[in-house]
Structures are given as C-alpha cells and as structure tokens.
Amino acid sequence: MPRKTIPEMVFADIYPLLVKKAERKGRTRDEIDQVICWLTGYDGQGLARQLEAGVTYEELFAQAPQLNPNRVLVTGKICGVDVAAIEDPVEQNARYLDKLVDELARGKPMEKILR
C-alpha cells in the first residue's frame, strides 16, 4: 500500500495517537481538544463533527473556521525540519499541531502553549 502524504491522512486516524501521546505524559483529551481548537478555530462540537466525518488533514484545515494567526509563533523542529521552513500550508499546519502536542506532552503550561 503506498504511503499517504500528510494532506491525504485521515485526521480521525491520527487523533487517537495525539491523545495517547499526551495521556502517557499525564495530560488529557480535553487539553488536546483545546490545542486543536486554538489552532483551527473549531469549537468542541465542530471538532467532533470533523472527526465523525473522517476528514483528511487537508479538509480539516481548509474547512477550519479561523486558523489562529498566532500559529506562526510556534517555532522549532519536528522530525529535524524547521516548521517555519515548510512550504506546503497543510503540512505546515499539521506540523504546528504536532509541535503543540509535543509541548503539551513535555509538560509545558497551557497558557504558554496557546501563545
């Protein structure tokens, strides 16, 4: 089976992995949801609808009510790649989310995560 690109990945397949990563470090699903909602502008019900609909990362970000303009303040590297240097906007937003979840899992306070 060919490997999917990040925009093609079904977000509902990735979401449990994000939650599991955070829960292993003592964080909660609600905190993951808060981070996702901060990044995308979805509310809890909107996020739940997207998960139920099985949208891809591309659709998740394309349909986002309002991508947070402060997401560009998320800096650092994911898999050795600087998030600011990623050219594809869908991949960049997905990596912003990865970085935020990493910060959450490392115990960073929520008020610092949500810049």
Side-chain angles (χ1 to χ4, degrees), residues 20-66:
K20 186 175 180 180
K21 180 178 190 174
E23 288 178 341
R24 278 194 316 260
K25 299 293 185 168
R27 303 309 285 254
T28 67
R29 177 182 298 256
D30 287 342
E31 288 174 309
I32 289 291
D33 290 352
Q34 186 178 356
V35 165
I36 295 168
C37 291
W38 176 87
L39 179 65
T40 61
Y42 289 107
D43 60 16
Q45 291 176 339
L47 176 58
R49 281 192 300 273
Q50 294 298 73
L51 289 167
E52 289 172 18
V55 298
T56 63
Y57 263 120
E58 184 170 25
E59 294 164 329
L60 177 77
F61 293 121
Q63 297 170 14
Q66 177 66 46

Side-chain angles (χ1 to χ4, degrees), residues 27 31 34-35 38 70-71 73-75 99-101 103-104 106-115:
R27 303 309 285 254
E31 288 174 309
Q34 186 178 356
V35 165
W38 176 87
N70 287 342
R71 72 190 184 282
L73 300 176
V74 177
T75 59
K99 187 70 177 163
L100 293 168
V101 171
E103 291 176 357
L104 183 68
R106 283 195 308 263
K108 193 170 189 178
M110 188 62 79
E111 53 274 357
K112 289 190 178 185
I113 294 170
L114 308 181
R115 293 149 171 85

